[in-house]
Amino acid sequence: MLKSMTGFGRAQERLRDCTVSVSVSSVNSRFLEMKIILPDEIADAETEVRKLIQDRFYRGRVQVVVRLIPDEGIMRVDGQILSDYLKSLKEFVPEGIVPTVDLTNIHRLAGAFPGKEKEFTSDFLRVVSLALDEMADTRLKEGNQIGKILIDLLNRLSALIAEAERLKEEENESRRRFVEENMAKLSLVDEEVRQRLFLEASWMVIKADVKEELERMRSHISAFREALDLEEPVGKRLEFLSQELHREATTLSSKSSCPKLVSLSVKLREIIEQIREQVRNVE
């Protein structure tokens, strides 16, 4: 079961005197990277948010943005903080003048967000979990689509390999006939020399055979299909198999002298490159 590394999710819920709005998104990355943007009132919860992400995802660049929206007309003031603030402010103003509250620091005085309370933090993390769950669903749905595309590409690849097998036999037979015909033209008296030359030529034909490359490609395709059915993250495994498929297709092209087989190897590499593009999105 494939999962994509790209996805998104949102969740919003009213808690106490404010609304918690959470938006999450993820894009491709070789490893799990996290960017978490929290309001100052709940900045201490970053460790818990990171754990929620790590429990759900294996790879991808994940971003979490949280906003706390106070209810209209609601502002609870922390009396002790306000008192301390006014005392410190009086040290810098003339005697008898009542200082006004600095509006740029009003968020430090207002107690609209009970972010330090354990119960509030627990509820807030639950909202984050809902957003992450939605993103996990979108990653799974996109992963299913990628899986279908990959299966189609693998089927096309297997069909080309079967065609390459047929062309390989034609090419090998053509090489054998070439060797036999040219050996027959040689005017060699010593039969031992003739046999030695024939063995050397036959060995060159064997070295040019692409049977092993085709067999390894079939093996990689089989391993690829098995990985698609696993529940665990398989993105890195699929990337490795894609690289190996490309390596074998390149070797096939370099060893072939038959124009049809060379052309077919180009098609093989085109499909493998499409596979590699899709695999880069897999967790």
Side-chain angles (χ1 to χ4, degrees):
M1 183 180 298
L2 296 185
K3 296 179 182 178
S4 170
M5 283 190 284
T6 59
F8 62 90
R10 297 193 65 180
Q12 184 170 295
E13 188 171 321
R14 186 174 181 278
L15 300 176
R16 309 292 181 82
D17 297 329
C18 67
T19 297
V20 177
S21 177
V22 181
S23 61
V24 296
S25 61
S26 65
V27 294
N28 296 354
S29 176
R30 289 177 57 84
F31 308 99
L32 178 61
E33 303 176 44
M34 292 174 279
K35 182 178 181 181
I36 301 171
I37 303 175
L38 301 177
D40 292 341
E41 294 82 0
I42 51 175
D44 293 343
E46 180 174 340
T47 301
E48 289 91 336
V49 174
R50 286 183 175 274
K51 188 175 185 308
L52 290 175
I53 297 171
Q54 291 169 341
D55 289 344
R56 287 169 171 78
F57 308 107
Y58 178 69
R59 288 205 301 168
R61 185 179 293 110
V62 178
Q63 176 172 286
V64 177
V65 179
V66 178
R67 293 191 304 135
L68 298 180
I69 307 169
D71 290 351
E72 186 175 354
I74 297 294
M75 186 179 74
R76 298 183 306 168
V77 177
D78 188 313
Q80 184 60 50
I81 293 179
L82 179 59
S83 177
D84 294 341
Y85 179 75
L86 292 175
K87 286 180 181 179
S88 63
L89 196 60
K90 284 181 180 180
E91 297 178 6
F92 302 98
V93 297
E95 182 70 24
I97 297 178
V98 179
T100 57
V101 176
D102 182 0
L103 294 179
T104 61
N105 288 293
I106 193 66
H107 68 282
R108 300 178 184 177
L109 309 178
F113 308 120
K116 301 294 183 181
E117 300 177 15
K118 290 184 178 180
E119 184 179 348
F120 181 87
T121 301
S122 177
D123 291 338
F124 151 71
L125 292 175
R126 177 173 52 77
V127 180
V128 174
S129 293
L130 292 175
L132 292 175
D133 288 342
E134 182 175 308
M135 185 173 75
D137 289 340
T138 63
R139 286 171 58 137
L140 180 59
K141 290 177 182 177
E142 186 171 336
N144 290 334
Q145 294 300 318
I146 293 175
K148 294 177 182 178
I149 295 173
L150 287 173
I151 289 174
D152 178 65
L153 291 172
L154 290 174
N155 291 338
R156 291 166 57 189
L157 197 61
S158 296
L160 286 177
I161 291 174
E163 177 65 14
E165 180 70 29
R166 184 184 66 79
L167 293 174
K168 172 187 74 70
E169 294 300 330
E170 292 181 3
E171 184 178 33
N172 289 344
E173 182 60 30
S174 175
R175 284 172 174 165
R176 282 192 290 268
R177 286 198 306 268
F178 177 82
V179 169
E180 292 172 357
E181 291 172 0
N182 283 274
M183 287 297 296
K185 296 177 183 179
L186 294 176
S187 56
L188 296 175
V189 178
D190 192 332
E191 184 62 26
E192 183 179 346
V193 174
R194 179 186 295 277
Q195 290 298 323
R196 189 181 304 157
L197 287 175
F198 183 78
L199 288 174
E200 289 291 337
S202 298
W203 175 243
M204 292 178 64
V205 172
I206 293 173
K207 286 183 65 177
D209 192 356
V210 294
K211 178 181 179 180
E212 291 185 1
E213 284 74 21
L214 294 177
E215 288 180 348
R216 283 195 289 267
M217 290 185 73
R218 288 196 191 93
S219 176
H220 295 329
I221 290 175
S222 178
F224 207 111
R225 292 182 186 277
E226 290 176 2
L228 293 179
D229 294 329
L230 296 177
E231 295 293 333
E232 63 194 58
V234 293
K236 290 184 178 180
R237 185 182 308 181
L238 296 183
E239 286 181 8
F240 172 76
L241 290 171
S242 300
Q243 292 172 1
E244 293 301 303
L245 283 168
H246 187 269
R247 188 198 311 275
E248 299 301 339
T250 301
T251 304
L252 174 67
S253 177
S254 63
K255 291 177 68 173
S256 302
S257 59
C258 170
K260 290 183 179 179
L261 196 52
V262 172
S263 176
L264 187 143
S265 68
V266 173
K267 294 180 181 178
L268 284 172
R269 283 181 289 175
E270 288 177 351
I271 293 179
I272 292 170
E273 186 57 36
Q274 293 179 51
I275 291 175
R276 294 173 73 177
E277 289 177 2
Q278 293 297 327
V279 166
R280 292 188 186 102
N281 298 322
V282 177
E283 182 180 25

